[in-house]
């Protein structure tokens, strides 16, 4: 295992201008994402609880985004000062929180799409699966599997930090661990599969909605709200997740086939872009729901889906 750093990268003066944009992006994501996810998580727990599969999935998505937001102050400090006085354990934890967020967010977003798809297209056959208990079990399984995957990665990353040629001046988030081609390829393939699931779900929902004509504005708005959520799911993958994952795979492959090079500017930029996803989830998945601010005793499951289904039954 080697570290993708050279002695030149230990020159702090050369890095200051290059990392200014990273500092600004992470600071903005922190300023927007942390309060939005905090409010979203508080409202979901207080007003909805674990009473429906939709609420359970959204709570876990909000919790995942919160973990990323809480790690961003460390990234802001690092890119603003180009120093890391907090040790290897804290650095590894911050990096793993980012990876956990990216992976769990993609899975929870896909589960939300499948939950909405089953409620709209297969309302009777999916009733036994769309329960809070089943959703909770799925979410627990996701957390366990992703954390287990990150355990070995955290060990490798810690070793890479300890072997950094910069000595005590550890460039935390700029260390790239070699020898993980299989993981990078597997992650990109997995995200592509999740994107395909979201695309198929979107097409099926659109086809199902087109077969049921709307006669008033309320039904049209309900349909548009549901379709918007599915399109946003795909956009999160296409704009924020896949570019970072594919670039990471390409960088890993090139570093194994050629001479080791310094950190990739494009990869650094795409990591910043991927972190923005934690700001969009609260805005789209929570505040766009009609039932988001309602009391949990007055709401059952996803109000948008419920309202749409009720309107369809009357038509």
């Amino acid at each position: 295992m080697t570290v993708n750093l050279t002695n030149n990268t230990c020159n702090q003066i050369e890095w200051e201008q290059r990392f200014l944009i990273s500092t600004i992006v992470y600071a903005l994501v922190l300023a927007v994402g942390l309060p939005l996810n905090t409010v979203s998580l508080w409202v979901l727990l207080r007003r909805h609880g674990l009473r429906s599969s939709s609420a359970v999935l959204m709570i876990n998505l909000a919790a995942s985004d919160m973990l990323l937001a809480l790690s961003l102050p460390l990234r802001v400090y690092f890119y603003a000062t180009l120093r890391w006085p907090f040790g290897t354990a804290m650095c590894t934890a911050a990096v793993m929180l980012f990876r956990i967020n990216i992976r769990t967010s993609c899975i929870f977003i896909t589960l939300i799409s499948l939950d909405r798809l089953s409620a709209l297209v297969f309302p009777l056959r999916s009733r036994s699966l769309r329960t809070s208990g089943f959703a909770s079990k799925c979410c627990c399984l996701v957390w366990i599997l992703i954390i287990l995957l990150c355990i070995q990665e955290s060990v490798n990353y810690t070793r890479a930090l300890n072997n950094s040629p910069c000595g005590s001046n550890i460039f935390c988030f700029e260390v790239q661990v070699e020898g993980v081609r299989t993981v990078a390829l597997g992650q990109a393939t997995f995200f592509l599969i999740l994107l395909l699931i979201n695309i198929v779900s979107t097409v099926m929902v659109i086809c199902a909605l087109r077969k049921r004509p709307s006669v008033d504005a309320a039904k049209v708005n309900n349909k548009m709200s549901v379709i918007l959520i599915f399109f946003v799911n795909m956009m999160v993958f296409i704009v924020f997740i896949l570019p970072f994952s594919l670039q990471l795979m390409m960088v890993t492959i090139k570093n194994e086939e050629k001479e080791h090079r310094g950190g990739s500017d494009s990869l650094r930029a795409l990591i910043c872009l991927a972190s923005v996803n934690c700001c969009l989830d609260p805005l789209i998945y929570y505040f766009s729901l009609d039932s988001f601010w309602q009391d949990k005793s007055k709401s059952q499951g996803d109000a948008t889906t419920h309202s749409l289904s009720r309107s369809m039954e009357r038509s």
Side-chain angles (χ1 to χ4, degrees):
M1 179 184 302
T2 60
V3 181
N4 212 12
L5 288 173
T6 63
N7 290 331
N8 290 334
T9 61
C10 295
N11 189 336
Q12 181 179 343
I13 299 178
E14 295 180 358
W15 279 24
E16 291 182 357
Q17 295 298 323
R18 297 172 60 188
F19 292 156
L20 176 61
I21 188 171
S22 295
T23 304
I24 296 174
V25 171
Y26 287 128
L28 291 176
V29 173
L30 174 63
V32 176
L34 184 58
L36 281 180
N37 283 284
T38 301
V39 172
S40 299
L41 188 59
W42 180 83
V43 172
L44 284 169
L45 290 172
R46 181 177 177 83
R47 297 185 176 271
H48 295 268
L50 304 177
R51 297 174 61 89
S52 68
S53 58
S54 298
V56 171
L57 295 174
M58 289 183 180
I59 287 172
N60 281 271
L61 180 58
S64 175
D65 290 334
M66 277 287 294
L67 291 178
L68 174 62
L70 291 175
S71 70
L72 290 182
L74 296 176
R75 288 183 180 267
V76 173
Y77 177 86
F78 171 76
Y79 285 111
T81 64
L82 301 178
R83 296 185 180 278
W84 186 259
F86 307 112
T88 58
M90 186 68 72
C91 174
T92 301
V95 172
M96 291 304 115
L97 284 178
F98 172 81
R99 297 185 182 184
I100 289 174
N101 167 258
I102 293 297
R103 293 162 179 170
T104 55
S105 292
C106 291
I107 298 176
F108 291 143
I109 288 173
T110 304
L111 290 177
I112 290 174
S113 293
L114 292 176
D115 179 75
R116 294 167 183 266
L117 170 67
S118 60
L120 291 170
V121 182
F122 313 106
L124 297 180
R125 284 179 288 179
S126 64
R127 185 175 299 176
S128 60
L129 297 177
R130 296 188 67 251
T131 63
S132 59
F134 184 76
S136 298
K137 293 178 182 178
C138 291
C139 292
C140 289
L141 181 62
V142 170
W143 284 109
I144 292 173
L145 292 178
I146 296 302
I147 291 175
L148 288 177
L149 176 62
C150 290
I151 288 178
Q152 182 59 47
E153 291 183 348
S154 64
V155 173
N156 294 338
Y157 204 85
T158 300
R159 291 174 180 172
L161 288 173
N162 291 331
N163 294 332
S164 170
C166 298
S168 60
N169 190 10
I170 300 175
F171 289 111
C172 172
F173 301 107
E174 291 299 308
V175 173
Q176 296 180 18
V177 182
E178 305 297 346
V180 290
R181 178 174 182 173
T182 303
V183 175
L185 180 60
Q187 178 173 276
T189 303
F190 181 66
F191 287 161
L192 284 171
I193 293 175
L194 293 182
L195 174 60
L196 180 61
I197 293 175
N198 280 274
I199 293 175
V200 173
S201 299
T202 303
V203 173
M204 292 180 65
V205 167
I206 293 177
C207 292
L209 295 180
R210 291 185 63 180
K211 294 179 180 179
R212 301 174 182 180
S214 300
V215 296
D216 55 36
K219 294 180 182 179
V220 174
N221 290 335
N222 284 331
K223 288 185 177 182
M224 293 303 299
S225 297
V226 174
I227 294 175
L228 175 63
I229 297 302
F230 280 90
F231 273 114
V232 171
N233 285 350
M234 290 192 301
M235 291 305 298
V236 169
F237 276 92
I238 295 173
V239 176
F240 299 103
I241 305 301
L242 275 182
F244 150 72
S245 183
L246 294 176
Q247 179 66 19
L248 176 63
M249 180 183 66
M250 293 175 60
V251 170
T252 303
I253 293 176
K254 289 181 180 180
N255 286 338
E256 288 189 358
E257 294 178 349
K258 300 179 181 180
E259 293 294 329
H260 295 166
R261 299 178 181 178
S264 170
D265 290 337
S266 59
L267 180 60
R268 185 184 305 112
L270 290 175
I271 291 176
C272 288
L273 181 64
S275 67
V276 178
N277 85 90
C278 77
C279 297
L280 295 184
D281 291 338
L283 293 174
I284 301 299
Y285 298 107
Y286 309 144
F287 292 103
S288 63
L289 296 178
D290 295 336
S291 65
F292 183 76
W293 295 106
Q294 294 178 4
D295 188 81
K296 60 185 177 182
S297 62
K298 300 179 182 179
S299 176
Q300 295 181 353
D302 188 323
T304 302
T305 301
H306 176 72
S307 176
L308 179 59
S309 301
R310 183 175 58 186
S311 299
M312 291 176 178
E313 293 173 355
R314 293 177 180 176
S315 59

